[in-house]
């Protein structure tokens, strides 16, 4: 099992839809989890940090399932501007490994 | 936005030439990282630094060296560039490091080795 795995997508959804994607991790010692958003040809930017069971910020909700070792990101009422690639990273893990990302495209 | 700059932003170089990329921060953060990003691989750690003159290897360190003589600067050197080092290079910083912590990324350097 890879250290961090994400469904690469792409997820193509209409505006206003709710979309969720998961990030699975293999290191049970991971205690903190981060979601980053990366626009095309740009740097990753921190979206959310999760230090306990979950976190919510407006339309974005991150939920942690420690038993199954995955963290999900839920986006409600999708906007065109949400189109991006979403990267997760559970820490600590070997070599600060990031997931390869899930690509989301929100269409009018 | 965190004060992180990278230079150059784009570079084309020939196989066998040395290349140095610079990361500069104005946040006074202790930890600095170099990643490369390639399609299908995501971000992979090359080297990181936990203080001035304190550095360590990451997952893909072969062919790369780093130096940190000042808190604000972290240099990545490709001693003899190869085509497999064509990639996008990102620098990142974090305050705590060691323990799980948020990282902030620079704008990246696109390097092409011909």
């Amino acid at each position: 099992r890879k250290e961090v795995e994400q469904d690469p997508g792409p997820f193509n959804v209409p505006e206003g839809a709710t979309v969720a994607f998961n990030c699975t991790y293999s290191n049970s010692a991971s205690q903190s989890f981060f979601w980053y958003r990366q626009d095309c040809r740009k740097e990753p930017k921190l979206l959310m940090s999760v230090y306990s069971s979950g976190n919510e910020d407006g339309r974005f909700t991150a939920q942690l399932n420690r038993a199954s070792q995955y963290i999900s990101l839920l986006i409600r009422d999708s906007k065109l501007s949400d189109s991006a690639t979403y990267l997760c990273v559970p820490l600590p893990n070997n070599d600060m490994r990031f997931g390869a990302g899930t690509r989301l495209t929100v269409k009018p | 936005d965190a004060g992180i700059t990278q230079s150059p932003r784009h570079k084309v170089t020939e196989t066998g030439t040395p290349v140095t990329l610079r990361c500069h921060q104005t946040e006074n953060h202790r930890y600095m990282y170099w990643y490369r990003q390639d399609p299908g691989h995501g971000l992979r750690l090359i080297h990181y630094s936990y203080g001035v003159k304190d550095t360590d290897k990451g997952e893909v360190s072969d062919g790369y060296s780093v130096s940190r003589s000042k808190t604000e600067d972290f240099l990545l050197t490709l001693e003899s560039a190869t085509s497999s080092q064509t990639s996008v290079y990102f620098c990142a910083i974090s305050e705590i490091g060691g323990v799980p912590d948020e990282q902030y990324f620079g704008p990246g350097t696109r390097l092409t080795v011909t």
Side-chain angles (χ1 to χ4, degrees), chain A residues 3 7-8 10 18 24 27-28 33-34 46-47 51 53 77 88 90 92 95-96 100 106-107:
Chain A
E3 185 110 32
D7 183 339
T18 295
T24 60
N27 189 340
S28 59
F33 304 83
F34 304 91
L46 184 66
L47 178 67
Y51 298 102
S53 61
D77 188 23
C88 73
D95 295 318
M96 307 285 283
V106 181
K107 301 189 174 183

Side-chain angles (χ1 to χ4, degrees), chain A residues 11-17 78-83 104-108:
Chain A
F11 284 64
N12 298 310
V13 302
E15 263 188 300
S78 300
K79 312 290 186 191
L80 296 176
S81 58
D82 293 333
S83 297
L104 172 66
T105 300
V106 181
K107 301 189 174 183

Side-chain angles (χ1 to χ4, degrees), chain B residues 57-103:
Chain B
K57 297 179 179 180
E59 178 187 1
V60 291
S61 60
D62 287 349
Y64 302 94
S65 62
V66 290
S67 66
R68 191 167 177 202
S69 58
K70 298 185 290 185
T71 298
E72 57 266 35
D73 289 326
F74 193 31
L75 304 181
L76 176 71
T77 297
L78 291 65
E79 302 290 347
S80 177
T82 67
S83 58
S84 65
Q85 293 176 312
T86 293
S87 187
V88 180
Y89 292 85
F90 288 104
C91 172
I93 64 174
S94 68
E95 176 54 36
I96 300 174
V99 296
D101 189 29
E102 303 163 349
Q103 295 181 64

